[in-house]
Amino acid sequence: MKTFECKVCGHIEFNAAPEKCLVCGALKQAFVEKADAIQKPANPAVLTEADKKHIPQIVIVKECGLIPGGCCTDVHARVGEIEHVMIDKHYIKYLDYYLDYKFISRIWLSPNVCHPAAALHLNANSGKITVIENCNVHGNWMAEASL
Ligand SMILES: [Fe+2]
């Protein structure tokens, strides 16, 4: 699948560049196709410590109860299997969430006070969730899960 990156805010879109960036509003011309926009482990069968510190871990909780009587699916994401540091020089800046490869939300994180984690309550109970995290030193890393 093709990936396009916004040169203004770093947001990634799948398949095609949008008319306007859904995060920062930059116009289509700000997007460039970038095959290596998302980092990948050199060997997915044998993850390095760096891989384990950056690949998001996704936990899905059906019907969490916060929204009474409705469909509410929680999608928790933690970075990563080994917890990533959250200090001024090195931290997870944000997590971008997608449902069926359509962007749904960016969650910004601050160093020191935030854990490298986020959650969304979705009004959806099927589809493919993608989470991309951005580390200020090591770039974008991705994970996927089915609702
Ligand atoms: Fe990092």
Side-chain angles (χ1 to χ4, degrees), residues 75-93:
V75 182
H76 299 262
R78 165 198 154 129
V79 185
E81 180 185 336
I82 300 172
E83 190 177 333
H84 193 280
V85 293
M86 291 295 283
I87 57 176
D88 291 321
K89 283 184 182 167
H90 188 191
Y91 68 104
I92 305 304
K93 288 171 69 179

Side-chain angles (χ1 to χ4, degrees), residues 89-125:
K89 283 184 182 167
H90 188 191
Y91 68 104
I92 305 304
K93 288 171 69 179
Y94 57 80
L95 293 98
D96 279 356
Y97 278 69
Y98 304 75
L99 181 61
D100 292 330
Y101 301 104
K102 299 252 186 298
F103 174 71
I104 50 177
S105 184
R106 171 173 290 190
I107 299 174
W108 290 98
L109 302 177
S110 296
N112 307 309
V113 68
C114 292
H115 288 301
L120 280 184
H121 297 265
L122 298 186
N123 185 7
N125 54 25

Side-chain angles (χ1 to χ4, degrees), residues 62-74 120-124:
K62 299 270 184 178
E63 301 297 336
C64 77
L66 185 68
I67 307 298
C71 157
C72 184
T73 304
D74 286 15
L120 280 184
H121 297 265
L122 298 186
N123 185 7

